[in-house]
Each structure stands twice: as structure tokens, then as C-alpha cells.
Amino acid sequence: MSNNRERDLVLAPNEYAFISDQTKGNVITYVGPYKTSMANTDQPVYFNQQKKTFDSCSLEDAIKTFATAPEGWYIVLKNPSVNGKQPQVGTSNTSSDLQIGRKVNLPGPCFFSLWPGQMGHITEGHHLRSNEYLIVRVYEEEQARTNWDNAVMTPQNSNPENIEEEEGSGEINAEELSMGQLLVIRGNNVSFYIPPTGVEVLKDKKGHYVRKAVTLERLEYCMLLDEDGNKRYVKGPAVVFPQPTERFVEKQGFRKFKAIELNENSGIYVKVIAPYTEGEQSYKVGDELFITGKDQMIYYPGPEHALVKYGEQEIYHAVAIPHGEGRYFLNRNTGKIGLEKGPCMFLPDPREAVIVRRILTPKQTKLWFPGNEEALVYNNRLKEISERQQEKLLKNKKAQKSKMPPIQQQQALIDMDLSAAEETAIGGIVGNTFDRKEDMTKPRVLTLNNKYEGAVTIDLWTGYAVLVTSKSGERKVIAGPQTYLLEYDEMLQGVELSTGTPKTDDRTLRTVYLRVLNNKVSDVIRAETKDFCDIDISVSYRVNFVGEKNKWFNVENYVKFLTDHLRSVLRNSLKQYSVSDFYANGISIVRDLILGERGEDGKRKGWLFEENGMHIYEVEVLGLKILDKDIEGLLFKTKHNEIRKNIELSNRQKDLVFTKEVESLNQEMAATKSETHQVGLELEKVALNKEMEVELTRINSAYQTQKEQLEASLKAQQQELEINRLKLAQEKENQALQLETAQLLLEQRLQELQSDVDAVVQKAGAISPDLIAALQAFGDKALAEKMAETMAPLSIIGGKSVVDVFANLVKGTKLEKVLNLAAEKDADVILE
């Protein structure tokens, strides 16, 4: 029972199976829903699409599902039936006649089983955006013409307004369809497409039907290469659809490129490959153009132009040449190498000029740049690089001759993907921007067998000069301070200089720099005196080069030329002097001989060499050496004695001079002090005169004041005197009366006293006269003092002195004489 069940064929709806009758060879199609028991001669089979044969299989593997195409899909049916009918559902179907080798496109919705030998491929309908397209091919032109209008095509209503349709994007004429013809179904015209019978949609190499067109923004472009070799350039903004025979040209996987930005210091080198006319200018094939930013700031390539590149260089940039520097450039047409000097931005036209470099030989480097090891190392490295580049160039040429592109590479170019999904232009883009490099790309450089990238620069210091010669025979002398740029064919002429002391030809120095100002040449000259004594003269010449510059380098070894000539002159002159005379005055003799006598202006004319303009303006005699030691000793001994005496005499003279100077200074000091004193007195006199004038003025002022006061006082005194006179007259009369009365009283008293005295005298007769005089004197003195004390108040009241009052009282007495004697003594003292 289990075996019978395994031989039962049960098909559900939507299933079918192929059963081969092994006795007759027929293949019967069973279509469900259906059930049947299979005989032993029935063999389940399936159609092998690769081998196109019916292969045996199990019953389960023989059961297949219907070919189902929903709405928006279609079935590509190969080997359709002649009557166009498919197997009937729910029964067994014997084989039908098929149109072997044909295929038809059946749009959905459709649902059917296949006849034995048929193949059906279910494909989704093709949805297109406005920047997408399909490539279709006519595989049967009659069917295509007949069924062209049966294609499912939905018009595109989302075409951007700012995107213009390209030429050739209109409707296709079905009557012109031909076998193998390729057509482009553009998304800007059709949004959905199902091909009709006779037309098939081609896949790209990635298996995709829908391909991307190229969307160009502003400042972008793309290139399309046709099978006939022509190129088409399209500038943005645009949506670019290729023609069926065209393909996008790619570079590094990119299909769109940015326009080339140029400025005044950059340009591109193109060659005309197709004749064209621009404005009034016509160009023919083979013409070469160098387009710079001055001509065109934004450049779009065209089919008439081919970019000329050297390596990867596309844009030529100017070279910045600072002040004092330069660049060599080769004229490709004439072969002449020129020099462009800075400051400037040098943009050579690659059609005519190519920047070149000089590589100096090690000998030139050491001679032109003495002590510059860096220049020597760099120069040698450039030479090695140049040799390696030449070897590499030869290898590349040989490889290019023997190398042929393989068939695989040619086939890859033919089958290049035309629908690359990359939409970014080379360099990247975010809006309308330019990405510029931080450093400038150097123009093409050819390395020749000479020095640096730039021109050879000679920096001349103050007081130095060089001789520049060219291969054309021209020569010129350049004197510093300045910077000189050598032309490509110019060289520096060297000179030989003798070295050492004395100067000889055994040791010479090779150099290109001639010191023309404040040069010093030292030498030792051996000469013989008149008395056959050898002397070595050490001299140092100071030399300038004057006059015409072109004569300065006429003598190759000017040092030897100078020293040889002056040696001869000095030797001849020294023969006229004895050793003692020359040793004593050798410096003056040498200087006068070489520099000449001093002129009225106190200057010497020096020694001039007409051959090369060499002028000796100063000479220093550094030493005189007598080679004979005995003569030198005698000369020194004589000189020592002479020097000793001279020193003694000099000391005496110095003492005399010192004494004279001291006395002279003393005299000057005394005279100076006297003058100072006189000046002080004069100043004091002037000051006293000034003070006297002031004092006199003050006295005059006081005198006038006092005079006026005295005059006023005089008038008052006169009036007072008159009054006093009258008073005195009255008083006088009163006093006279009183005196008369007193006189009388006094006389009376005197008489009494005389009587008493006489009596006393008589009694004292025994006393000596001297004692009497002394007692009398003492008594008189005591009396006078007593009376002065008594009369003092009277003198004050009367306005008279005590003496006057007392005198009046003692008038006519002996006391009057005493008073008179005292008065006379006082007068004598006052007079003394």
C-alpha cells in the first residue's frame, strides 16, 4: 500500500508536473488540482534549462508551481505554443506544438503552467526615476514593430523644470526598428516600463536593469565615448542620458568631473584635434594652445581639444621668483636658454619654454661657493637623481615598445559598467565650491647637466669682484656689493693667487673672487746693501683696484706679479745705502720709494700698475732683519751707546724743559693770582662806589631833612634866645644886687676871719712852710669837695655847673686860685 501511495500524483491548484511515458516517449503535463496513479512506465521528469533536456527526478521534485506574474510584473516566455494556449487546468495535457527559439513578453496579471520545453522568467516591471534609464535591444524586429504599441509605458510627470531635455530624447519610430538595435528608455519620459514582445531589457555587468544617468551640477561636466570614437561633452546643470552606442568615460571610478579653475598664474596646455572656429579665430588640427586665467577663468574640455600632460600634471602653475633670484628656461624652438629675474610670478608657456636646472660640477661648486659643503652635497644629489631619471626614462621607452594591451583589458573596456552608482565628482563637492591645494604644483621641470632649480646666484660682498665670461666670448666684471644671477651659458673666471711668505709659485690658491678694496699682500724681500750685507725686509702692501674694471683680471696671478716687481725695485734701491743708514731709515726709504714723496697736500700718490689697474696706496714695513749676526751685534752695540747718550741728553733736556715749565707755571700762577687780586679790588672798588653812591644819596636825603628841621629849630631857638636874653638880663640885675650884698657880707666875714687867721698864724709860726702848704692843699681840697656836695643842688636849680656856682662863691678868695689851677690842668689834659 505504501508503494502505491508513493506512485500517486496529487497536484494542488497552482501546481503542475511533467510525467514521461517510458514506452512512447511522450511527456504529459498534469495540471492541478488533479490526482492520478502512475504506472510503472511513468517517470517524473523536469526540464533542464541549461542542457535543454528532460532529466529524471523524484515525484516531489517534478512538482512545480505555476508561472505567476502579478500586476506590474511580466513573464518572459521562451518557446511559446503555436496556438498561444497553455495547458488546461485540472487535467492531463499532451504536448503542444511550440515555437522553438522564440520568446514573448506577457505582462501581468497572468497565471499558467508551462508546456514541456517552455521556460518562463518572471521579472518585475521597471520603475524609473527622472535620472534613470534602461537599455533595450530589439531581438526580433517583426515582433517588435508589431507589438511596439503593446508595451507598458507610463509617462513621467516629474521632469524638473530646470533640466532641459537633450536632443534625441523624443518618441521612437517603430517602423525603423531593426534586429539588434539598442534603444534607451529615459526616466525623464517614462516612469514605468514593460517591454513588448520582440524587445528585451539588458542588464549591466552587476545584473541590474535600471541604470543611473549622470546628474550634473553647475561647474561640472561629463564625457561620453561613442563606438565610432567620437566624444561628447555635456556641461551642467543637466541630466545626461547616453545614446545606446555611448558609454560614460570614467576616471578612478568617477563619471562626472569638475570644471578646471584657472587664474592669472595658472594655465592648461591643449592640442587641437579637430578644426573649429571660436569668434573670429579659426583653429586647425595640430595647433597647440596655452589657455590661462587671463583668457578663460573656467575651462570646460571639448571634443576639439586634447589635454597635453607630462606625467600627472594637468594644470601649469606659475613659479614665484623673489627679488634677487631667477629661473632658467629653455626655448624649445630655438634651443636658447634664458633667465627670468624676480620679483615676479613666472608662468612659462609650455609650447615654447621649459624650466631647466643647472647642476654644477664638484670643482665649480668648491670654487664658486668655497666652504659651502651643503651646496656640494645637494649638487651631487641632483646629479644622481638626474642620472636615475634618465635610466628610468630609457626603461619606460623600452617597456612601452614591447607592451601590448591584453584581450582581457580590451574586453573590460568594452564591457565597462555604464550605470555606476557613484554620483560625486572627483574632488568632492558641497555646493558650488572649488577645492584648492595648500601648496602650488610646480610646472614641468627638465633636469639638465647643470645646477639648481633656480638660477645660479652669486652674492658679492663689499670690496669683491668676479669676472663673468660666456660661451659667446663676452666678458664683464661685476663688483660688489650686489647679487648677480648667472645666465645659463655664463661662467666665473678663476685666478691663481700665490700664498705664503715670501710669495712663491709653489703654493697657489684658486679662486673666482678678487678683492678690489683694502686688499693686503704681505711679502719678505731679501736685498743686499752697499756694504754687501743681506737684509730681510718684511712688508705689507695695501692694494686697491682702480680704473677700468675689465683690466682687473688681465693678470692671472696679480700677487706674484706685484711682489716680483717690487722686489726688483727695492733690491736695486738698497744697493745705494749702507747697512747702518738703511737700518736707521729703512722704513722711510721703503715708503718713499714705493708710495712716492709727500705732495703739497701731504698725500702720497702710491704705485699704480697699468697692466691691471692695481694701485698700492699704503705700505707697512713690518720688520728689518740683518742676516749677518756679527754685523747685527756691532750695529746694535753702536746703537746702544748712541741710544744711551741720547737718553742722557734727552733726560737733561727733559729736566731743563721741566724746570722751565715749572717756573713758567709758577710765574703764570703768580700773574694769575695778581690778576685775580686786581680783579677783586676792582670789583670791590666798584662795589664801594656803589655803596658810597647809595650812602651819599641817603646822607643827602637825611641832610635835607635835618636842614629843614634845623632851620625850623633855629627859628625856634632864636625866639627862645630872645626870651632867655631878656630873662638873663633881669636875672643878671638880680644876681648883681645879690652879689653886691654877698660881697659886702663876705668882706665883713673875711675881715673877721682875717683877724682869726692872723691870730692863728701867729700861733702856728713854728710850723714849716711846706707843711703848711700841704695842709692848706688838703684843706682846700676837702673844702672844695664839701662845697661841691653842698652846691650840687644849687647848680642843678640854676642851670649852671657846680664849678661856676662855687667859683662865684669863692671869687676873690684864696680858693679861687685853687680852682683856677685845677681848671688849667683839666684843659691841658683835654688838649693832649
Side-chain angles (χ1 to χ4, degrees):
M1 295 294 294
S2 60
N3 292 333
N4 292 332
R5 288 182 180 178
E6 290 179 358
R7 300 296 296 176
D8 290 341
L9 175 62
V10 179
L11 299 174
N14 191 34
E15 291 181 346
Y16 70 95
F18 295 149
I19 303 298
S20 174
D21 187 353
Q22 297 296 314
T23 58
K24 299 180 179 179
N26 294 328
V27 177
I28 301 173
T29 303
Y30 292 90
V31 182
Y34 188 77
K35 179 181 179 182
T36 183
S37 295
M38 296 177 59
N40 293 329
T41 58
D42 292 337
Q43 176 62 44
V45 296
Y46 73 97
F47 183 69
N48 189 328
Q49 296 185 6
Q50 282 73 27
K51 297 180 180 180
K52 305 298 189 290
T53 59
F54 290 95
D55 296 338
S56 299
C57 64
S58 64
L59 187 58
E60 288 79 7
D61 292 337
I63 299 175
K64 306 293 181 181
T65 58
F66 281 15
T68 304
E71 190 75 35
W73 292 62
Y74 66 97
I75 299 176
V76 179
L77 181 63
K78 294 183 179 180
N79 303 327
S81 61
V82 175
N83 56 12
K85 294 182 180 180
Q86 293 303 116
Q88 187 175 356
V89 176
T91 185
S92 60
N93 300 274
T94 58
S95 298
S96 174
D97 296 332
L98 302 178
Q99 302 180 52
I100 303 300
R102 297 182 67 89
K103 62 181 178 179
V104 295
N105 297 333
L106 303 176
C110 58
F111 177 83
F112 56 85
S113 62
L114 300 179
W115 291 108
Q118 284 186 334
M119 293 174 285
H121 180 70
I122 303 173
T123 304
E124 183 182 5
H126 306 289
H127 297 270
L128 300 177
R129 298 176 63 86
S130 60
N131 62 342
E132 295 176 339
Y133 67 97
L134 299 172
I135 293 182
V136 300
R137 181 174 58 191
V138 177
Y139 63 85
E140 212 288 319
E141 59 184 19
E142 293 296 334
Q143 294 291 334
R145 292 173 184 173
T146 302
N147 299 297
W148 183 258
D149 293 336
N150 297 328
V152 179
M153 290 187 295
T154 303
Q156 181 66 262
N157 294 324
S158 61
N159 185 28
E161 296 180 357
N162 60 335
I163 303 298
E164 298 181 358
E165 293 186 0
E166 299 181 19
E167 183 180 355
S169 61
E171 296 183 358
I172 299 173
N173 188 357
E175 300 298 329
E176 297 178 357
L177 297 176
S178 59
M179 178 70 72
Q181 183 179 358
L182 297 176
L183 303 174
V184 175
I185 307 300
R186 307 184 182 195
N188 60 348
N189 296 326
V190 177
S191 63
F192 180 77
Y193 180 75
I194 295 178
T197 300
V199 177
E200 63 179 344
V201 179
L202 300 181
K203 296 180 180 180
D204 59 18
K205 65 180 182 179
K206 293 182 179 180
H208 301 149
Y209 290 108
V210 178
R211 307 164 189 252
K212 282 282 188 179
V214 173
T215 301
L216 298 178
E217 301 181 23
R218 293 189 184 276
L219 303 178
E220 292 182 348
Y221 70 96
C222 68
M223 292 183 294
L224 298 102
L225 177 63
D226 203 341
E227 293 177 353
D228 59 5
N230 291 319
K231 288 183 179 179
R232 180 164 63 96
Y233 292 80
V234 182
K235 296 188 294 185
V239 176
V240 183
F241 297 95
Q243 297 296 328
T245 57
E246 290 179 334
R247 64 177 179 85
F248 288 103
V249 176
E250 293 187 358
K251 181 180 180 181
Q252 299 177 2
F254 296 94
R255 298 187 299 171
K256 61 180 181 178
F257 315 100
K258 299 182 67 173
I260 299 176
E261 176 204 7
L262 301 177
N263 55 41
E264 294 182 355
N265 297 322
S266 62
I268 57 173
Y269 183 21
V270 298
K271 193 175 189 67
V272 178
I273 57 176
Y276 73 99
T277 301
E278 184 176 358
E280 298 180 356
Q281 182 71 30
S282 297
Y283 300 95
K284 63 182 183 295
V285 176
D287 290 343
E288 293 184 351
L289 305 176
F290 184 57
I291 303 173
T292 66
K294 296 179 181 179
D295 307 321
Q296 188 174 343
M297 298 299 289
I298 303 297
Y299 175 77
Y300 290 94
E304 303 87 1
H305 290 171
L307 190 65
V308 180
K309 298 194 303 181
Y310 292 91
E312 297 298 326
Q313 181 176 354
E314 297 180 351
I315 301 178
Y316 293 81
H317 294 279
V319 177
I321 305 178
H323 181 74
E325 297 185 8
R327 291 291 186 274
Y328 295 120
F329 63 93
L330 170 67
N331 190 311
R332 298 173 59 184
N333 299 325
T334 63
K336 182 179 179 181
I337 297 179
L339 174 62
E340 183 70 20
K341 298 180 179 180
C344 67
M345 294 296 295
F346 180 46
L347 180 61
D349 189 338
R351 298 173 296 178
E352 300 178 354
V354 179
I355 293 180
V356 297
R357 292 182 292 188
R358 288 187 77 173
I359 302 178
L360 297 180
T361 63
K363 182 179 180 181
Q364 289 175 329
T365 306
K366 293 178 180 179
L367 188 61
W368 295 5
F369 306 97
N372 192 342
E373 294 297 331
E374 182 181 358
L376 181 63
V377 172
Y378 181 72
N379 211 51
N380 293 335
R381 188 182 300 117
L382 283 180
K383 186 176 180 181
E384 294 175 359
I385 293 174
S386 175
E387 293 175 353
R388 287 199 299 267
Q389 289 179 346
Q390 292 178 358
E391 294 177 359
K392 184 178 180 180
L393 183 62
L394 292 175
K395 291 180 180 179
N396 290 338
K397 288 182 178 180
K398 293 180 180 179
Q400 289 176 358
K401 290 181 180 179
S402 60
K403 183 178 180 180
M404 296 297 293
I407 298 177
Q408 292 82 357
Q409 294 180 359
Q410 295 180 359
Q411 186 65 31
L413 292 175
I414 296 175
D415 297 336
M416 183 176 289
D417 180 18
L418 302 180
S419 60
E422 183 62 57
E423 287 296 323
T424 304
I426 290 180
I429 180 169
V430 181
N432 298 331
T433 61
F434 289 102
D435 293 331
R436 299 181 177 178
K437 297 180 179 179
E438 295 180 358
D439 54 349
M440 298 180 63
T441 302
K442 296 181 180 180
R444 181 172 62 99
V445 177
L446 296 179
T447 303
L448 302 181
N449 191 20
N450 286 306
K451 191 188 172 185
Y452 291 104
E453 206 174 298
V456 178
T457 304
I458 303 298
D459 294 324
L460 289 175
W461 296 352
T462 302
Y464 287 87
V466 294
L467 175 61
V468 180
T469 61
S470 64
K471 294 182 179 180
S472 61
E474 297 180 358
R475 65 193 302 269
K476 55 186 175 182
V477 176
I478 308 299
Q482 65 171 305
T483 298
Y484 182 74
L485 302 179
L486 291 179
E487 298 288 344
Y488 188 80
D489 62 339
E490 288 182 340
M491 307 286 289
L492 297 182
Q493 184 69 35
V495 294
E496 295 282 347
L497 303 179
S498 296
T499 61
T501 304
K503 296 294 186 294
T504 63
D505 292 335
D506 298 336
R507 292 175 295 173
T508 59
L509 172 65
R510 185 73 179 176
T511 182
V512 296
Y513 299 100
L514 175 66
R515 182 157 189 171
V516 297
L517 292 179
N518 305 321
N519 198 351
K520 293 183 69 175
V521 179
S522 60
D523 194 20
V524 175
I525 303 169
R526 178 166 296 180
E528 188 179 64
T529 61
K530 182 172 62 175
D531 44 9
F532 306 104
C533 181
D534 291 335
I535 296 179
D536 282 348
I537 306 170
S538 299
V539 295
S540 176
Y541 307 105
R542 294 188 182 182
V543 182
N544 284 342
F545 285 80
V546 297
E548 187 178 352
K549 293 182 180 180
N550 291 333
K551 297 172 61 176
W552 293 352
F553 288 83
N554 286 351
V555 178
E556 183 178 8
N557 191 342
Y558 76 88
V559 174
K560 194 67 169 62
F561 180 73
L562 181 150
T563 55
D564 287 349
H565 182 71
L566 293 184
R567 285 175 187 174
S568 175
V569 173
L570 287 175
R571 286 168 180 167
N572 180 60
S573 176
L574 188 58
K575 293 292 291 182
Q576 311 302 321
Y577 298 92
S578 63
V579 62
S580 59
D581 293 339
F582 185 80
Y583 197 80
N585 303 308
I587 295 177
S588 299
I589 294 172
V590 173
R591 289 176 59 82
D592 291 341
L593 181 63
I594 297 176
L595 302 178
E597 300 290 339
R598 292 186 181 273
E600 296 180 356
D601 57 353
K603 298 181 179 179
R604 302 175 186 264
K605 65 179 182 179
W607 192 292
L608 179 64
F609 292 86
E610 297 292 342
E611 293 82 357
N612 62 346
M614 185 167 49
H615 177 247
I616 301 176
Y617 68 92
E618 185 59 81
V619 61
E620 297 176 355
V621 180
L622 304 178
L624 300 173
K625 182 179 181 181
I626 300 174
L627 300 183
D628 193 325
K629 299 297 182 181
D630 295 336
I631 295 175
E632 184 180 18
L634 292 174
L635 187 60
F636 283 177
K637 185 176 181 181
T638 303
K639 287 296 180 182
H640 286 169
N641 294 331
E642 183 179 351
I643 290 170
R644 187 181 299 108
K645 293 180 180 180
N646 289 335
I647 290 173
E648 292 178 358
L649 179 60
S650 177
N651 291 335
R652 295 278 185 172
Q653 290 175 349
K654 288 180 180 179
D655 291 340
L656 177 60
V657 172
F658 177 74
T659 303
K660 288 182 179 180
E661 290 293 332
V662 170
E663 295 300 327
S664 176
L665 290 174
N666 291 334
Q667 293 174 7
E668 290 181 0
M669 289 173 62
T672 303
K673 289 181 179 180
S674 178
E675 291 177 358
T676 303
H677 185 64
Q678 293 292 333
V679 172
L681 292 176
E682 290 294 332
L683 294 175
E684 187 177 357
K685 182 179 178 181
V686 172
L688 290 174
N689 289 335
K690 293 293 184 180
E691 291 179 359
M692 289 176 64
E693 290 178 359
V694 174
E695 188 66 24
L696 183 59
T697 302
R698 188 183 297 111
I699 292 172
N700 288 334
S701 176
Y703 171 74
Q704 292 295 334
T705 303
Q706 189 177 7
K707 182 179 179 181
E708 293 177 357
Q709 292 177 354
L710 289 174
E711 289 178 354
S713 178
L714 181 58
K715 292 179 180 180
Q717 289 292 336
Q718 288 177 356
Q719 293 177 0
E720 186 177 356
L721 287 175
E722 185 65 25
I723 295 171
N724 290 334
R725 187 179 60 78
L726 296 175
K727 290 180 177 180
L728 288 174
Q730 185 179 359
E731 290 180 359
K732 186 176 180 181
E733 292 177 356
N734 293 332
Q735 288 180 0
L737 180 59
Q738 291 177 359
L739 287 175
E740 288 179 359
T741 303
Q743 184 69 30
L744 292 175
L745 292 174
L746 183 59
E747 288 178 357
Q748 184 180 358
R749 179 62 181 168
L750 286 175
Q751 289 177 0
E752 292 177 357
L753 290 174
Q754 186 65 39
S755 298
D756 293 335
V757 169
D758 289 341
V760 173
V761 170
Q762 291 177 359
K763 291 178 180 180
I767 300 172
S768 65
D770 294 332
L771 180 62
I772 295 171
L775 291 172
Q776 186 177 357
F778 281 111
D780 293 341
K781 184 175 180 182
L783 178 63
E785 290 176 353
K786 189 67 174 177
M787 291 185 70
E789 290 177 358
T790 305
M791 296 302 291
L794 292 176
S795 64
I796 295 173
I797 296 172
K800 297 180 180 181
S801 65
V802 175
V803 176
D804 293 339
V805 175
F806 185 72
N808 289 331
L809 292 176
V810 297
K811 188 176 181 181
T813 67
K814 292 180 179 181
L815 292 176
E816 182 178 5
K817 294 179 181 181
V818 177
L819 292 174
N820 289 335
L821 290 175
E824 289 177 358
K825 290 180 180 180
D826 294 333
D828 293 337
V829 173
I830 294 172
L831 290 175
E832 290 176 359

